[in-house]
Amino acid sequence: SEPHEPGVTEHVIVISGAMEVLVDGQWRSLDQGEAVRFAADRPHGYRNLGIAPAVFHNLIHYPAIRP
């Protein structure tokens, strides 16, 4: 994924299956029930190298803009 604006964070929570998330240039494996939070204002990615589907929540937090 392309980087988001500065200050944006993502929370990836695996509901079922397994997947990998690219954070800080390294792929991190996540299994069912595991999660990761990271600064999303840098390149990041998601992949599933297995044959079974991976189901996950991806929560993206955009900080409030203050005048």
Side-chain angles (χ1 to χ4, degrees):
S1 291
E2 293 294 319
H4 297 277
E5 297 81 25
V8 174
T9 57
E10 289 194 28
H11 305 253
V12 175
I13 305 129
V14 180
I15 305 305
S16 64
M19 62 181 291
E20 293 184 332
V21 180
L22 179 65
V23 178
D24 294 330
Q26 297 204 352
W27 288 101
R28 177 175 173 175
S29 296
L30 296 175
D31 292 320
Q32 180 177 336
E34 295 183 319
V36 63
R37 178 180 64 194
F38 57 91
D41 56 359
R42 311 171 214 173
H44 52 283
Y46 325 90
R47 69 183 181 187
N48 178 356
L49 297 177
I51 57 171
V55 177
F56 65 99
H57 291 297
N58 183 13
L59 306 171
I60 304 173
H61 176 259
Y62 293 90
I65 299 173
R66 299 182 192 257

